[in-house]
Amino acid sequence: QALTLANDRAFYEIAQGFAATVLSEPAADDTARVRLAFRRALAREPAADELAALAGYLAAEKNQPAGEGATDDVCQAAWTRLARVILNLDEFLPRE
């Protein structure tokens, strides 16, 4: 199930929409946006280690190209990848 969700086109488009929504919200910086995305998806504040891991992942992804044939800019692509991580957490989508 996890691989299906990770590779499903609809799931990717949902992550793109989620990322666009998060980017459209006013926020002081990326860390505040990561916190916002986490709260929206999981209805709780991220723990310090969760926030650090997600913020670090986002920073690393912003240094990657958007991808061959991608229509997103690098920032949107990085946020889409972060959204895919958050939306694929067991806490968001239990797998039983």
Side-chain angles (χ1 to χ4, degrees):
Q1 183 181 11
L3 287 175
T4 299
L5 290 175
N7 295 314
D8 184 76
R9 182 70 190 161
F11 187 75
Y12 178 79
E13 290 172 2
I14 290 166
Q16 277 183 312
F18 183 55
T21 299
V22 170
L23 286 170
S24 72
E25 295 291 327
D29 56 19
D30 281 345
T31 301
R33 279 201 170 91
V34 170
R35 212 180 241 117
L36 171 68
F38 197 92
R39 275 195 320 264
R40 289 232 172 127
L42 303 176
R44 69 173 177 86
E45 286 292 327
D49 60 332
E50 293 169 325
L51 182 60
L54 291 170
Y57 176 78
L58 178 64
E61 289 301 307
K62 283 186 158 188
N63 290 322
Q64 300 296 318
E68 187 175 325
T71 57
D72 295 341
D73 66 21
V74 172
C75 182
Q76 174 70 32
W79 276 97
T80 297
R81 290 190 289 265
L82 180 74
R84 291 178 75 191
V85 167
I86 293 171
L87 297 177
N88 206 24
L89 293 171
D90 285 342
E91 190 174 345
F92 179 78
L93 189 63
R95 294 169 180 87
E96 291 188 27

